[in-house]
Amino acid sequence: MSPAAVRPTIPVERFAERLDAAQRMVGESGLDALLVGVGPDLRYLTGYRAMPLERLTMLVVPRSGACRLVVPRLERMPAERSGAGSGGLVEIVPWDETDDAHALVASCVREAAGDHAGPNVRVAVSDTLWALHVLRLQAALTGAAFELGSRVTAPLRIVKDPDEIALLRLAAEAADRVIDQVAHGPLVGRTEHDVAAEIRDRLIAEGHDAAEFAIVASGPNSASPHHEASDRVIRPGEPIVLDIGGPLGGYGSDITRTIWVTGGHAAGPDDEFRRIFELVRDAQSEATGAARPGVSAERVDAVARGIIEAGGYGPQFIHRTGHGIGLEGHEEPYLVEGSREPLRAGMAFSIEPGIYLEGRYGVRLEDIVVCTDDGPVALNRAPLDLLVVTG
Ligand code: ZN
Ligand code: ZN
Ligand code: ZN
């Protein structure tokens, strides 16, 4: 069975719901229009996936009236085939090579603003829109106030619908299989680079759209949370932190497992390694258990941090406990002190505490967890216990 063959897609009705909700929020926020360039917000609202380019592609969500998707004429066909395009939810407005696309968008905004199309126009632009486009839009909409589009899109995207959860689950299960395959070895004698290349190939083979990252941090490198795979040769008697993932059907996987490699007369994990592994294991599972509706995001971080601090390694847990995941690998909610937002059913995030002892080794364990009315659900199923791999 090819994993891609069973991949669900987001049905057109979802894009209708999302566009309606966005339009409602544009009105409630006192904005005249939301302007969405190529990127995750555009994909969320329309299903349209395009390359970010100097040629402007822009969804215009006015406070009332039809949503328009302004596209270069040569990209009209893929835009029409997108979820919102094929469902007739947006009016496709193609522009020609010699047209001023930014002026075209500005005229859509002025039309939406109607009677107050003067200096009081307010628009929100998607957070990742290139400065190239933002500055030209500002020039075309003299005097208009510009804000970040995430004030409209983030509250929508933060709660996943069942189709999105289904894709996150498929991505998590595909990443689980890759961890299992790689943990079967052989690992000893290979470079981190070589193992990372194998992981990337396997992520694709298991159905991912792309292999976005493959951290292979062996021995002392495991003490660096975002280590780039290097030419270091893996030796028996040391740990490896594997942190891998990428999008599947647009939705990300992100899993971390720490394994111990042994072989020959090499030593197994020493006492301190076992101790920090147990602390991280406890912190990961207790924080997962705490991730219920109504609990603040910072509280989940505090649960993980409290366990590691009580074990005496607080200063060595040098990052937040987790991040939301969806169309982007890191998105809201962030599980970090100061993030008072209460968790809600449908939120999806990583729970990934770690302890890093510089010059020696580190441990991190990460699952993707969905908050539901029935409690937290871990999408990853790869075992979290310390795996000792021979060879
Ligand atoms: Zn990370
Ligand atoms: Zn990760
Ligand atoms: Zn992560």
Side-chain angles (χ1 to χ4, degrees), residues 27 155 190 278 293 329 339 353 384:
R190 297 171 65 192
E278 280 314 308
S339 183
L384 284 151

Side-chain angles (χ1 to χ4, degrees), residues 213 226 243 254-256 322-323 325 329-330 350-352 364 366 368:
F213 55 96
H226 277 173
D243 184 353
D254 187 358
I255 181 175
T256 306
H323 54 82
I325 189 165
H330 289 183
S350 70
I351 294 194
E352 50 176 312
R364 180 167 67 260
E366 172 179 30
I368 299 304

Side-chain angles (χ1 to χ4, degrees), residues 289 291-293 345-346 370-377:
R292 295 172 178 278
V370 176
C371 177
T372 80
D373 287 324
D374 301 321
V377 174

Side-chain angles (χ1 to χ4, degrees), residues 215-384:
I215 294 176
V216 178
S218 65
N221 292 340
S222 59
S224 168
H226 277 173
H227 172 71
E228 279 276 334
S230 74
D231 288 327
R232 185 178 186 279
V233 174
I234 295 164
R235 293 187 296 225
E238 63 184 26
I240 308 179
V241 171
L242 301 169
D243 184 353
I244 69 170
L248 186 155
Y251 286 78
S253 66
D254 187 358
I255 181 175
T256 306
R257 289 296 183 265
T258 302
I259 61 180
W260 186 276
V261 188
T262 184
H265 300 289
D270 59 73
D271 288 347
E272 186 162 29
F273 185 83
R274 284 191 185 278
R275 182 163 157 66
I276 64 171
F277 191 96
E278 280 314 308
L279 281 171
V280 170
R281 177 85 175 80
D282 282 356
Q284 205 283 333
S285 72
E286 292 296 316
T288 298
R292 295 172 178 278
V295 173
S296 68
E298 70 174 357
R299 175 68 198 142
V300 179
D301 178 78
V303 167
R305 206 162 298 280
I307 289 168
I308 290 174
E309 277 169 3
Y313 292 93
Q316 285 78 40
F317 178 14
I318 54 176
H319 53 72
R320 65 190 175 210
T321 294
H323 54 82
I325 189 165
L327 286 167
E328 288 178 282
H330 289 183
E331 57 181 49
E332 293 190 49
Y334 294 101
L335 308 187
V336 64
E337 190 181 333
S339 183
R340 288 182 189 88
E341 172 139 31
L343 298 180
R344 278 178 285 156
M347 288 185 178
F349 38 80
S350 70
I351 294 194
E352 50 176 312
I355 296 176
Y356 309 93
L357 307 185
E358 218 178 306
R360 295 179 64 200
Y361 42 53
V363 173
R364 180 167 67 260
L365 294 171
E366 172 179 30
D367 272 353
I368 299 304
V369 174
V370 176
C371 177
T372 80
D373 287 324
D374 301 321
V377 174
L379 299 185
N380 296 100
R381 294 185 191 160
L384 284 151

